[in-house]
Amino acid sequence: MRKKQARILASLALTCAIFATACSKKLQEPAPEATKAQPPYVIGLGEIMGLTQMRHAKLWFAGKAENWPLAAYELDELREGFDDAMLYHPHHRNVPYPLTQMVPEFVSSSLDALDKAIKARNRPNFDKAFDSLTAGCNACHREANFGFNVLKRPTAPPYSNQSFAAAVPGPGRAP
Ligand code: HEC
């Protein structure tokens, strides 16, 4: 190798080494904003309730279509939402009682009645239990000073990209 070429290669290697060291040092140092303590994310009660509203509507259309597996799924999701509400928001703003007391008081018996109706694939009982759940939502809203938030039976499916028709026909139904 000619002397000049060797010198160029050596200086290139040095430049690369310096650059690599600088880069790795930069990677090791945390960015200044990442060093600030971030409070853990907690989902808001309003957000949980927004999801509850969506599931309440889906539950109705699943029951109406006698799609019992979907109805059972939506009921389960509703229960999980209420569990999260009690876990993350046991006390909320000017709500006079703890949610851990209000949720069981206002909705538990309707959720259990829905469970029974879904397992029995009984549409009239499903309708009755659904209306009693909705009444429970509204009673809790009134008690919680959110009485302006009124729920009712939905009239149109919340999403046009989901089929509520039963994917697997139940016993006794035409295929
Ligand atoms: C513990 C009593 C309680 C029960 C039971 C309850 N809610 Fe709520 N709900 C609240 C409170 C409190 C708020 C206000 C939350 C906030 O600060 O944004 C609320 C808010 C809402 C909102 C407004 C959310 C928004 O962003 O527009 C909807 C919709 C809602 N609830 C639906 C329901 C439905 C549907 C049910 C029944 C399946 C239900 N809720 C049961 C206490 C309750």
Side-chain angles (χ1 to χ4, degrees), residues 44-57 78 82 85-86 92-93 95 97-104 106-107 111 133-134 136-141 143-146 148-151:
L45 185 60
E47 279 65 48
I48 295 174
M49 285 291 159
L51 290 170
T52 298
Q53 174 177 24
M54 183 262 285
R55 261 124 202 181
H56 175 262
L78 272 177
F82 284 128
M86 289 189 283
H92 184 72
R93 293 199 213 156
V95 178
Y97 306 103
L99 261 75
T100 43
Q101 191 182 318
M102 295 176 87
V103 168
F106 288 104
V107 293
L111 294 172
L133 172 67
T134 310
C137 307
N138 291 331
C140 197
H141 288 171
E143 196 79 10
N145 295 315
F146 281 93
F148 50 84
N149 221 311
V150 181
L151 277 298

mmCIF file of all heavy atoms in Angstrom, residues 44-57 78 82 85-86 92-93 95 97-104 106-107 111 133-134 136-141 143-146 148-151, ligand 1:
data_model
loop_
_atom_site.group_PDB
_atom_site.id
_atom_site.type_symbol
_atom_site.label_atom_id
_atom_site.label_comp_id
_atom_site.label_asym_id
_atom_site.label_seq_id
_atom_site.Cartn_x
_atom_site.Cartn_y
_atom_site.Cartn_z
ATOM 1 N N GLY A 44 -59.591 7.739 32.713
ATOM 2 C CA GLY A 44 -60.596 8.562 33.400
ATOM 3 C C GLY A 44 -61.926 7.829 33.515
ATOM 4 O O GLY A 44 -62.227 6.940 32.712
ATOM 5 N N LEU A 45 -62.727 8.204 34.504
ATOM 6 C CA LEU A 45 -64.044 7.579 34.661
ATOM 7 C C LEU A 45 -64.929 7.893 33.451
ATOM 8 O O LEU A 45 -65.685 7.041 32.982
ATOM 9 C CB LEU A 45 -64.716 8.049 35.960
ATOM 10 C CG LEU A 45 -66.049 7.377 36.284
ATOM 11 C CD1 LEU A 45 -65.899 5.870 36.425
ATOM 12 C CD2 LEU A 45 -66.663 7.953 37.555
ATOM 13 N N GLY A 46 -64.803 9.107 32.918
ATOM 14 C CA GLY A 46 -65.582 9.480 31.725
ATOM 15 C C GLY A 46 -65.237 8.572 30.546
ATOM 16 O O GLY A 46 -66.117 8.201 29.760
ATOM 17 N N GLU A 47 -63.958 8.195 30.439
ATOM 18 C CA GLU A 47 -63.524 7.318 29.335
ATOM 19 C C GLU A 47 -64.086 5.904 29.538
ATOM 20 O O GLU A 47 -64.559 5.272 28.599
ATOM 21 C CB GLU A 47 -61.989 7.265 29.245
ATOM 22 C CG GLU A 47 -61.369 8.454 28.524
ATOM 23 C CD GLU A 47 -61.577 9.766 29.246
ATOM 24 O OE1 GLU A 47 -61.322 9.814 30.478
ATOM 25 O OE2 GLU A 47 -62.019 10.731 28.610
ATOM 26 N N ILE A 48 -64.005 5.423 30.792
ATOM 27 C CA ILE A 48 -64.566 4.083 31.081
ATOM 28 C C ILE A 48 -66.058 4.096 30.738
ATOM 29 O O ILE A 48 -66.583 3.163 30.130
ATOM 30 C CB ILE A 48 -64.362 3.707 32.577
ATOM 31 C CG1 ILE A 48 -62.866 3.566 32.891
ATOM 32 C CG2 ILE A 48 -65.112 2.416 32.919
ATOM 33 C CD1 ILE A 48 -62.551 3.338 34.364
ATOM 34 N N MET A 49 -66.742 5.179 31.095
ATOM 35 C CA MET A 49 -68.188 5.269 30.863
ATOM 36 C C MET A 49 -68.497 5.356 29.367
ATOM 37 O O MET A 49 -69.514 4.831 28.906
ATOM 38 C CB MET A 49 -68.769 6.470 31.603
ATOM 39 C CG MET A 49 -68.880 6.240 33.087
ATOM 40 S SD MET A 49 -70.148 5.017 33.465
ATOM 41 C CE MET A 49 -69.616 4.503 35.092
ATOM 42 N N GLY A 50 -67.631 6.007 28.609
ATOM 43 C CA GLY A 50 -67.813 6.065 27.152
ATOM 44 C C GLY A 50 -67.774 4.661 26.559
ATOM 45 O O GLY A 50 -68.586 4.305 25.693
ATOM 46 N N LEU A 51 -66.847 3.848 27.060
ATOM 47 C CA LEU A 51 -66.758 2.455 26.594
ATOM 48 C C LEU A 51 -67.971 1.660 27.072
ATOM 49 O O LEU A 51 -68.497 0.810 26.354
ATOM 50 C CB LEU A 51 -65.468 1.808 27.122
ATOM 51 C CG LEU A 51 -64.171 2.337 26.498
ATOM 52 C CD1 LEU A 51 -62.946 1.824 27.262
ATOM 53 C CD2 LEU A 51 -64.071 1.929 25.029
ATOM 54 N N THR A 52 -68.412 1.977 28.287
ATOM 55 C CA THR A 52 -69.599 1.310 28.838
ATOM 56 C C THR A 52 -70.824 1.603 27.965
ATOM 57 O O THR A 52 -71.632 0.722 27.689
ATOM 58 C CB THR A 52 -69.832 1.790 30.299
ATOM 59 O OG1 THR A 52 -68.689 1.405 31.068
ATOM 60 C CG2 THR A 52 -71.072 1.186 30.913
ATOM 61 N N GLN A 53 -70.906 2.839 27.504
ATOM 62 C CA GLN A 53 -72.020 3.226 26.631
ATOM 63 C C GLN A 53 -71.988 2.409 25.326
ATOM 64 O O GLN A 53 -73.009 1.910 24.860
ATOM 65 C CB GLN A 53 -71.909 4.714 26.301
ATOM 66 C CG GLN A 53 -72.933 5.193 25.295
ATOM 67 C CD GLN A 53 -72.841 6.680 25.044
ATOM 68 O OE1 GLN A 53 -71.792 7.284 25.255
ATOM 69 N NE2 GLN A 53 -73.928 7.267 24.597
ATOM 70 N N MET A 54 -70.782 2.256 24.777
ATOM 71 C CA MET A 54 -70.628 1.502 23.526
ATOM 72 C C MET A 54 -71.033 0.036 23.742
ATOM 73 O O MET A 54 -71.744 -0.561 22.948
ATOM 74 C CB MET A 54 -69.166 1.644 23.077
ATOM 75 C CG MET A 54 -68.818 1.001 21.782
ATOM 76 S SD MET A 54 -68.064 -0.594 22.019
ATOM 77 C CE MET A 54 -66.431 -0.143 22.567
ATOM 78 N N ARG A 55 -70.597 -0.527 24.881
ATOM 79 C CA ARG A 55 -70.918 -1.934 25.152
ATOM 80 C C ARG A 55 -72.396 -2.135 25.455
ATOM 81 O O ARG A 55 -72.977 -3.162 25.085
ATOM 82 C CB ARG A 55 -70.069 -2.437 26.328
ATOM 83 C CG ARG A 55 -68.898 -3.204 25.816
ATOM 84 C CD ARG A 55 -67.609 -2.706 26.275
ATOM 85 N NE ARG A 55 -66.539 -3.127 25.399
ATOM 86 C CZ ARG A 55 -65.287 -2.823 25.627
ATOM 87 N NH1 ARG A 55 -64.953 -2.113 26.672
ATOM 88 N NH2 ARG A 55 -64.357 -3.217 24.793
ATOM 89 N N HIS A 56 -72.985 -1.169 26.129
ATOM 90 C CA HIS A 56 -74.421 -1.190 26.422
ATOM 91 C C HIS A 56 -75.194 -1.282 25.097
ATOM 92 O O HIS A 56 -76.105 -2.101 24.952
ATOM 93 C CB HIS A 56 -74.744 0.100 27.195
ATOM 94 C CG HIS A 56 -76.186 0.346 27.508
ATOM 95 N ND1 HIS A 56 -76.965 1.168 26.728
ATOM 96 C CD2 HIS A 56 -76.992 -0.094 28.510
ATOM 97 C CE1 HIS A 56 -78.181 1.214 27.264
ATOM 98 N NE2 HIS A 56 -78.224 0.462 28.339
ATOM 99 N N ALA A 57 -74.792 -0.486 24.105
ATOM 100 C CA ALA A 57 -75.468 -0.507 22.799
ATOM 101 C C ALA A 57 -75.209 -1.827 22.073
ATOM 102 O O ALA A 57 -76.136 -2.441 21.526
ATOM 103 C CB ALA A 57 -74.988 0.672 21.948
ATOM 104 N N LEU A 78 -68.746 -5.280 29.944
ATOM 105 C CA LEU A 78 -69.410 -4.291 30.809
ATOM 106 C C LEU A 78 -68.982 -4.480 32.262
ATOM 107 O O LEU A 78 -68.660 -3.518 32.963
ATOM 108 C CB LEU A 78 -70.934 -4.456 30.723
ATOM 109 C CG LEU A 78 -71.672 -3.698 29.630
ATOM 110 C CD1 LEU A 78 -73.150 -4.059 29.663
ATOM 111 C CD2 LEU A 78 -71.529 -2.183 29.773
ATOM 112 N N PHE A 82 -66.971 -1.867 34.822
ATOM 113 C CA PHE A 82 -67.410 -1.464 36.167
ATOM 114 C C PHE A 82 -66.342 -1.808 37.204
ATOM 115 O O PHE A 82 -66.128 -1.055 38.154
ATOM 116 C CB PHE A 82 -68.752 -2.120 36.524
ATOM 117 C CG PHE A 82 -69.926 -1.480 35.826
ATOM 118 C CD1 PHE A 82 -70.838 -2.230 35.102
ATOM 119 C CD2 PHE A 82 -70.124 -0.103 35.908
ATOM 120 C CE1 PHE A 82 -71.918 -1.641 34.462
ATOM 121 C CE2 PHE A 82 -71.207 0.505 35.273
ATOM 122 C CZ PHE A 82 -72.100 -0.267 34.550
ATOM 123 N N ALA A 85 -63.840 0.874 36.985
ATOM 124 C CA ALA A 85 -64.369 2.112 37.575
ATOM 125 C C ALA A 85 -64.182 2.077 39.092
ATOM 126 O O ALA A 85 -63.742 3.053 39.699
ATOM 127 C CB ALA A 85 -65.849 2.267 37.215
ATOM 128 N N MET A 86 -64.454 0.918 39.714
ATOM 129 C CA MET A 86 -64.343 0.814 41.180
ATOM 130 C C MET A 86 -62.880 0.810 41.620
ATOM 131 O O MET A 86 -62.528 1.353 42.656
ATOM 132 C CB MET A 86 -65.037 -0.460 41.663
ATOM 133 C CG MET A 86 -66.547 -0.389 41.550
ATOM 134 S SD MET A 86 -67.361 -1.775 42.359
ATOM 135 C CE MET A 86 -67.105 -3.090 41.171
ATOM 136 N N HIS A 92 -65.010 9.795 43.375
ATOM 137 C CA HIS A 92 -64.950 10.606 42.162
ATOM 138 C C HIS A 92 -65.616 11.956 42.377
ATOM 139 O O HIS A 92 -66.799 12.017 42.754
ATOM 140 C CB HIS A 92 -65.642 9.859 41.013
ATOM 141 C CG HIS A 92 -65.541 10.570 39.693
ATOM 142 N ND1 HIS A 92 -64.365 10.646 38.992
ATOM 143 C CD2 HIS A 92 -66.462 11.230 38.968
ATOM 144 C CE1 HIS A 92 -64.573 11.340 37.885
ATOM 145 N NE2 HIS A 92 -65.838 11.698 37.835
ATOM 146 N N ARG A 93 -64.860 13.002 42.157
ATOM 147 C CA ARG A 93 -65.352 14.392 42.229
ATOM 148 C C ARG A 93 -66.431 14.587 43.301
ATOM 149 O O ARG A 93 -66.205 14.269 44.446
ATOM 150 C CB ARG A 93 -65.869 14.819 40.855
ATOM 151 C CG ARG A 93 -64.722 14.909 39.850
ATOM 152 C CD ARG A 93 -65.130 15.753 38.682
ATOM 153 N NE ARG A 93 -64.503 15.271 37.466
ATOM 154 C CZ ARG A 93 -64.988 15.491 36.260
ATOM 155 N NH1 ARG A 93 -66.097 16.169 36.095
ATOM 156 N NH2 ARG A 93 -64.341 15.036 35.203
ATOM 157 N N VAL A 95 -69.238 13.005 43.619
ATOM 158 C CA VAL A 95 -70.124 11.849 43.788
ATOM 159 C C VAL A 95 -70.185 11.562 45.293
ATOM 160 O O VAL A 95 -69.153 11.380 45.936
ATOM 161 C CB VAL A 95 -69.581 10.626 43.004
ATOM 162 C CG1 VAL A 95 -70.464 9.412 43.226
ATOM 163 C CG2 VAL A 95 -69.477 10.958 41.509
ATOM 164 N N TYR A 97 -71.151 9.082 47.261
ATOM 165 C CA TYR A 97 -70.825 7.789 47.875
ATOM 166 C C TYR A 97 -69.693 7.138 47.089
ATOM 167 O O TYR A 97 -69.507 7.424 45.900
ATOM 168 C CB TYR A 97 -72.046 6.856 47.857
ATOM 169 C CG TYR A 97 -73.274 7.471 48.469
ATOM 170 C CD1 TYR A 97 -74.304 7.952 47.657
ATOM 171 C CD2 TYR A 97 -73.405 7.589 49.856
ATOM 172 C CE1 TYR A 97 -75.433 8.549 48.213
ATOM 173 C CE2 TYR A 97 -74.532 8.183 50.414
ATOM 174 C CZ TYR A 97 -75.531 8.657 49.588
ATOM 175 O OH TYR A 97 -76.643 9.246 50.139
ATOM 176 N N PRO A 98 -68.962 6.205 47.731
ATOM 177 C CA PRO A 98 -67.909 5.509 46.977
ATOM 178 C C PRO A 98 -68.501 4.649 45.855
ATOM 179 O O PRO A 98 -69.584 4.075 46.020
ATOM 180 C CB PRO A 98 -67.208 4.630 48.020
ATOM 181 C CG PRO A 98 -67.903 4.817 49.308
ATOM 182 C CD PRO A 98 -69.028 5.790 49.134
ATOM 183 N N LEU A 99 -67.800 4.607 44.740
ATOM 184 C CA LEU A 99 -68.286 3.805 43.608
ATOM 185 C C LEU A 99 -68.356 2.323 43.969
ATOM 186 O O LEU A 99 -69.162 1.582 43.427
ATOM 187 C CB LEU A 99 -67.391 4.024 42.371
ATOM 188 C CG LEU A 99 -67.978 5.030 41.379
ATOM 189 C CD1 LEU A 99 -67.834 6.450 41.886
ATOM 190 C CD2 LEU A 99 -67.329 4.895 40.009
ATOM 191 N N THR A 100 -67.483 1.911 44.886
ATOM 192 C CA THR A 100 -67.471 0.505 45.318
ATOM 193 C C THR A 100 -68.802 0.130 45.987
ATOM 194 O O THR A 100 -69.126 -1.042 46.124
ATOM 195 C CB THR A 100 -66.314 0.274 46.310
ATOM 196 O OG1 THR A 100 -66.268 1.377 47.221
ATOM 197 C CG2 THR A 100 -64.990 0.146 45.609
ATOM 198 N N GLN A 101 -69.544 1.139 46.408
ATOM 199 C CA GLN A 101 -70.851 0.908 47.017
ATOM 200 C C GLN A 101 -71.948 1.095 45.958
ATOM 201 O O GLN A 101 -72.908 0.333 45.896
ATOM 202 C CB GLN A 101 -71.028 1.943 48.125
ATOM 203 C CG GLN A 101 -72.190 1.731 49.049
ATOM 204 C CD GLN A 101 -72.257 2.884 50.065
ATOM 205 O OE1 GLN A 101 -71.229 3.329 50.605
ATOM 206 N NE2 GLN A 101 -73.448 3.387 50.284
ATOM 207 N N MET A 102 -71.763 2.107 45.089
ATOM 208 C CA MET A 102 -72.835 2.457 44.144
ATOM 209 C C MET A 102 -72.967 1.453 43.001
ATOM 210 O O MET A 102 -74.090 1.122 42.595
ATOM 211 C CB MET A 102 -72.571 3.857 43.575
ATOM 212 C CG MET A 102 -72.662 4.935 44.637
ATOM 213 S SD MET A 102 -72.243 6.542 43.954
ATOM 214 C CE MET A 102 -73.825 7.080 43.319
ATOM 215 N N VAL A 103 -71.849 0.979 42.475
ATOM 216 C CA VAL A 103 -71.927 0.054 41.336
ATOM 217 C C VAL A 103 -72.703 -1.207 41.726
ATOM 218 O O VAL A 103 -73.689 -1.559 41.058
ATOM 219 C CB VAL A 103 -70.520 -0.256 40.751
ATOM 220 C CG1 VAL A 103 -70.572 -1.425 39.792
ATOM 221 C CG2 VAL A 103 -69.954 0.988 40.061
ATOM 222 N N PRO A 104 -72.319 -1.880 42.829
ATOM 223 C CA PRO A 104 -73.098 -3.074 43.191
ATOM 224 C C PRO A 104 -74.570 -2.739 43.444
ATOM 225 O O PRO A 104 -75.452 -3.478 43.033
ATOM 226 C CB PRO A 104 -72.431 -3.587 44.476
ATOM 227 C CG PRO A 104 -71.066 -2.990 44.473
ATOM 228 C CD PRO A 104 -71.166 -1.690 43.733
ATOM 229 N N PHE A 106 -76.492 -0.341 42.163
ATOM 230 C CA PHE A 106 -77.328 0.066 41.025
ATOM 231 C C PHE A 106 -77.333 -0.897 39.837
ATOM 232 O O PHE A 106 -78.272 -0.897 39.065
ATOM 233 C CB PHE A 106 -76.941 1.473 40.556
ATOM 234 C CG PHE A 106 -77.369 2.538 41.509
ATOM 235 C CD1 PHE A 106 -76.458 3.159 42.338
ATOM 236 C CD2 PHE A 106 -78.709 2.896 41.601
ATOM 237 C CE1 PHE A 106 -76.862 4.140 43.241
ATOM 238 C CE2 PHE A 106 -79.128 3.875 42.497
ATOM 239 C CZ PHE A 106 -78.208 4.499 43.327
ATOM 240 N N VAL A 107 -76.272 -1.670 39.657
ATOM 241 C CA VAL A 107 -76.263 -2.491 38.433
ATOM 242 C C VAL A 107 -76.043 -3.993 38.624
ATOM 243 O O VAL A 107 -76.316 -4.770 37.709
ATOM 244 C CB VAL A 107 -75.257 -1.956 37.374
ATOM 245 C CG1 VAL A 107 -75.688 -0.607 36.835
ATOM 246 C CG2 VAL A 107 -73.835 -1.914 37.897
ATOM 247 N N LEU A 111 -77.084 -7.041 36.004
ATOM 248 C CA LEU A 111 -76.032 -7.761 35.273
ATOM 249 C C LEU A 111 -76.215 -9.272 35.475
ATOM 250 O O LEU A 111 -76.077 -10.050 34.528
ATOM 251 C CB LEU A 111 -74.636 -7.317 35.733
ATOM 252 C CG LEU A 111 -74.251 -5.868 35.413
ATOM 253 C CD1 LEU A 111 -72.927 -5.489 36.079
ATOM 254 C CD2 LEU A 111 -74.154 -5.607 33.910
ATOM 255 N N LEU A 133 -81.144 -2.764 33.607
ATOM 256 C CA LEU A 133 -79.758 -2.270 33.658
ATOM 257 C C LEU A 133 -79.734 -0.776 33.303
ATOM 258 O O LEU A 133 -79.103 0.027 33.995
ATOM 259 C CB LEU A 133 -78.863 -3.049 32.676
ATOM 260 C CG LEU A 133 -77.446 -2.490 32.513
ATOM 261 C CD1 LEU A 133 -76.640 -2.650 33.805
ATOM 262 C CD2 LEU A 133 -76.692 -3.160 31.362
ATOM 263 N N THR A 134 -80.441 -0.423 32.229
ATOM 264 C CA THR A 134 -80.464 0.975 31.797
ATOM 265 C C THR A 134 -81.034 1.875 32.904
ATOM 266 O O THR A 134 -80.504 2.960 33.154
ATOM 267 C CB THR A 134 -81.298 1.114 30.505
ATOM 268 O OG1 THR A 134 -80.822 0.133 29.570
ATOM 269 C CG2 THR A 134 -81.163 2.484 29.889
ATOM 270 N N GLY A 136 -80.802 1.264 36.011
ATOM 271 C CA GLY A 136 -79.736 1.316 37.024
ATOM 272 C C GLY A 136 -78.666 2.333 36.657
ATOM 273 O O GLY A 136 -78.180 3.074 37.530
ATOM 274 N N CYS A 137 -78.278 2.375 35.367
ATOM 275 C CA CYS A 137 -77.292 3.371 34.898
ATOM 276 C C CYS A 137 -77.825 4.769 35.243
ATOM 277 O O CYS A 137 -77.115 5.597 35.809
ATOM 278 C CB CYS A 137 -77.085 3.311 33.383
ATOM 279 S SG CYS A 137 -76.669 1.696 32.692
ATOM 280 N N ASN A 138 -79.094 5.005 34.895
ATOM 281 C CA ASN A 138 -79.670 6.352 35.078
ATOM 282 C C ASN A 138 -79.840 6.697 36.553
ATOM 283 O O ASN A 138 -79.602 7.846 36.949
ATOM 284 C CB ASN A 138 -81.007 6.448 34.337
ATOM 285 C CG ASN A 138 -80.795 6.426 32.824
ATOM 286 O OD1 ASN A 138 -79.751 6.856 32.341
ATOM 287 N ND2 ASN A 138 -81.768 5.920 32.086
ATOM 288 N N ALA A 139 -80.222 5.694 37.374
ATOM 289 C CA ALA A 139 -80.389 5.944 38.814
ATOM 290 C C ALA A 139 -79.037 6.312 39.428
ATOM 291 O O ALA A 139 -78.944 7.218 40.261
ATOM 292 C CB ALA A 139 -80.979 4.709 39.490
ATOM 293 N N CYS A 140 -77.982 5.617 39.001
ATOM 294 C CA CYS A 140 -76.652 5.916 39.542
ATOM 295 C C CYS A 140 -76.220 7.309 39.086
ATOM 296 O O CYS A 140 -75.661 8.066 39.871
ATOM 297 C CB CYS A 140 -75.636 4.859 39.120
ATOM 298 S SG CYS A 140 -74.133 4.902 40.123
ATOM 299 N N HIS A 141 -76.507 7.650 37.837
ATOM 300 C CA HIS A 141 -76.153 8.998 37.352
ATOM 301 C C HIS A 141 -76.852 10.074 38.186
ATOM 302 O O HIS A 141 -76.245 11.073 38.541
ATOM 303 C CB HIS A 141 -76.515 9.144 35.865
ATOM 304 C CG HIS A 141 -75.602 8.363 34.968
ATOM 305 N ND1 HIS A 141 -75.828 8.190 33.633
ATOM 306 C CD2 HIS A 141 -74.438 7.700 35.231
ATOM 307 C CE1 HIS A 141 -74.860 7.457 33.107
ATOM 308 N NE2 HIS A 141 -74.010 7.144 34.050
ATOM 309 N N GLU A 143 -77.939 9.811 41.305
ATOM 310 C CA GLU A 143 -77.359 9.790 42.656
ATOM 311 C C GLU A 143 -75.957 10.416 42.669
ATOM 312 O O GLU A 143 -75.528 10.978 43.665
ATOM 313 C CB GLU A 143 -77.290 8.328 43.124
ATOM 314 C CG GLU A 143 -77.077 8.129 44.586
ATOM 315 C CD GLU A 143 -78.363 8.314 45.408
ATOM 316 O OE1 GLU A 143 -79.450 8.405 44.804
ATOM 317 O OE2 GLU A 143 -78.227 8.383 46.640
ATOM 318 N N ALA A 144 -75.271 10.313 41.511
ATOM 319 C CA ALA A 144 -73.882 10.792 41.424
ATOM 320 C C ALA A 144 -73.810 12.256 40.978
ATOM 321 O O ALA A 144 -72.722 12.757 40.701
ATOM 322 C CB ALA A 144 -73.102 9.903 40.443
ATOM 323 N N ASN A 145 -74.954 12.923 40.896
ATOM 324 C CA ASN A 145 -75.014 14.311 40.405
ATOM 325 C C ASN A 145 -74.663 14.422 38.924
ATOM 326 O O ASN A 145 -74.135 15.431 38.477
ATOM 327 C CB ASN A 145 -74.117 15.240 41.235
ATOM 328 C CG ASN A 145 -74.606 15.363 42.660
ATOM 329 O OD1 ASN A 145 -75.808 15.526 42.890
ATOM 330 N ND2 ASN A 145 -73.704 15.248 43.620
ATOM 331 N N PHE A 146 -74.912 13.333 38.176
ATOM 332 C CA PHE A 146 -74.740 13.347 36.723
ATOM 333 C C PHE A 146 -76.070 12.961 36.067
ATOM 334 O O PHE A 146 -76.098 12.303 35.029
ATOM 335 C CB PHE A 146 -73.648 12.351 36.287
ATOM 336 C CG PHE A 146 -72.258 12.874 36.493
ATOM 337 C CD1 PHE A 146 -71.548 12.602 37.654
ATOM 338 C CD2 PHE A 146 -71.640 13.644 35.514
ATOM 339 C CE1 PHE A 146 -70.270 13.090 37.844
ATOM 340 C CE2 PHE A 146 -70.363 14.139 35.705
ATOM 341 C CZ PHE A 146 -69.669 13.860 36.869
ATOM 342 N N PHE A 148 -78.066 14.447 34.349
ATOM 343 C CA PHE A 148 -78.324 14.969 32.997
ATOM 344 C C PHE A 148 -77.883 13.982 31.927
ATOM 345 O O PHE A 148 -78.139 14.161 30.738
ATOM 346 C CB PHE A 148 -77.593 16.314 32.800
ATOM 347 C CG PHE A 148 -76.139 16.270 33.201
ATOM 348 C CD1 PHE A 148 -75.183 15.814 32.311
ATOM 349 C CD2 PHE A 148 -75.751 16.654 34.480
ATOM 350 C CE1 PHE A 148 -73.847 15.747 32.676
ATOM 351 C CE2 PHE A 148 -74.428 16.598 34.865
ATOM 352 C CZ PHE A 148 -73.461 16.145 33.959
ATOM 353 N N ASN A 149 -77.206 12.910 32.350
ATOM 354 C CA ASN A 149 -76.698 11.895 31.435
ATOM 355 C C ASN A 149 -77.682 10.730 31.404
ATOM 356 O O ASN A 149 -77.680 9.882 32.293
ATOM 357 C CB ASN A 149 -75.364 11.410 32.000
ATOM 358 C CG ASN A 149 -74.348 11.227 30.919
ATOM 359 O OD1 ASN A 149 -74.640 10.602 29.909
ATOM 360 N ND2 ASN A 149 -73.178 11.764 31.135
ATOM 361 N N VAL A 150 -78.571 10.703 30.417
ATOM 362 C CA VAL A 150 -79.665 9.724 30.405
ATOM 363 C C VAL A 150 -79.467 8.694 29.290
ATOM 364 O O VAL A 150 -79.322 9.056 28.119
ATOM 365 C CB VAL A 150 -81.032 10.448 30.245
ATOM 366 C CG1 VAL A 150 -82.182 9.445 30.266
ATOM 367 C CG2 VAL A 150 -81.216 11.486 31.351
ATOM 368 N N LEU A 151 -79.492 7.425 29.669
ATOM 369 C CA LEU A 151 -79.345 6.327 28.704
ATOM 370 C C LEU A 151 -80.713 5.749 28.362
ATOM 371 O O LEU A 151 -81.645 5.864 29.159
ATOM 372 C CB LEU A 151 -78.483 5.219 29.320
ATOM 373 C CG LEU A 151 -76.959 5.379 29.239
ATOM 374 C CD1 LEU A 151 -76.509 5.401 27.788
ATOM 375 C CD2 LEU A 151 -76.427 6.599 29.963
HETATM 376 C C1 HEC B 1 -71.368 4.573 40.013
HETATM 377 C C2 HEC B 1 -72.577 4.899 39.346
HETATM 378 C C3 HEC B 1 -72.645 4.748 37.866
HETATM 379 C C4 HEC B 1 -73.134 3.675 37.178
HETATM 380 C C5 HEC B 1 -73.682 2.377 37.737
HETATM 381 C C6 HEC B 1 -73.057 4.043 35.783
HETATM 382 N N1 HEC B 1 -72.490 5.260 35.627
HETATM 383 FE FE1 HEC B 1 -72.154 6.231 33.875
HETATM 384 N N2 HEC B 1 -71.289 7.756 34.864
HETATM 385 C C7 HEC B 1 -71.114 7.850 36.225
HETATM 386 C C8 HEC B 1 -70.379 9.042 36.552
HETATM 387 C C9 HEC B 1 -69.952 9.494 37.945
HETATM 388 C C10 HEC B 1 -70.120 9.690 35.315
HETATM 389 C C11 HEC B 1 -69.354 11.008 35.078
HETATM 390 C C12 HEC B 1 -67.883 10.686 34.862
HETATM 391 C C13 HEC B 1 -67.049 11.896 34.535
HETATM 392 O O1 HEC B 1 -66.596 12.551 35.458
HETATM 393 O O2 HEC B 1 -66.857 12.187 33.341
HETATM 394 C C14 HEC B 1 -70.722 8.861 34.290
HETATM 395 C C15 HEC B 1 -70.712 9.183 32.946
HETATM 396 C C16 HEC B 1 -71.305 8.429 31.965
HETATM 397 C C17 HEC B 1 -71.364 8.788 30.574
HETATM 398 C C18 HEC B 1 -70.808 10.059 29.944
HETATM 399 C C19 HEC B 1 -69.477 9.762 29.295
HETATM 400 C C20 HEC B 1 -69.108 10.796 28.270
HETATM 401 O O3 HEC B 1 -67.907 11.042 28.137
HETATM 402 O O4 HEC B 1 -69.994 11.329 27.597
HETATM 403 C C21 HEC B 1 -71.996 7.777 29.902
HETATM 404 C C22 HEC B 1 -72.313 7.706 28.426
HETATM 405 C C23 HEC B 1 -72.316 6.777 30.887
HETATM 406 N N3 HEC B 1 -71.907 7.195 32.124
HETATM 407 C C24 HEC B 1 -72.928 5.585 30.571
HETATM 408 C C25 HEC B 1 -73.280 4.612 31.528
HETATM 409 C C26 HEC B 1 -73.963 3.388 31.210
HETATM 410 C C27 HEC B 1 -74.374 2.935 29.842
HETATM 411 C C28 HEC B 1 -74.126 2.744 32.390
HETATM 412 C C29 HEC B 1 -74.834 1.445 32.648
HETATM 413 C C30 HEC B 1 -74.565 0.314 31.778
HETATM 414 C C31 HEC B 1 -73.541 3.569 33.424
HETATM 415 N N4 HEC B 1 -73.054 4.696 32.864
HETATM 416 C C32 HEC B 1 -73.538 3.228 34.765
HETATM 417 C C33 HEC B 1 -71.567 6.948 37.172
HETATM 418 C C34 HEC B 1 -72.196 5.742 36.882
#
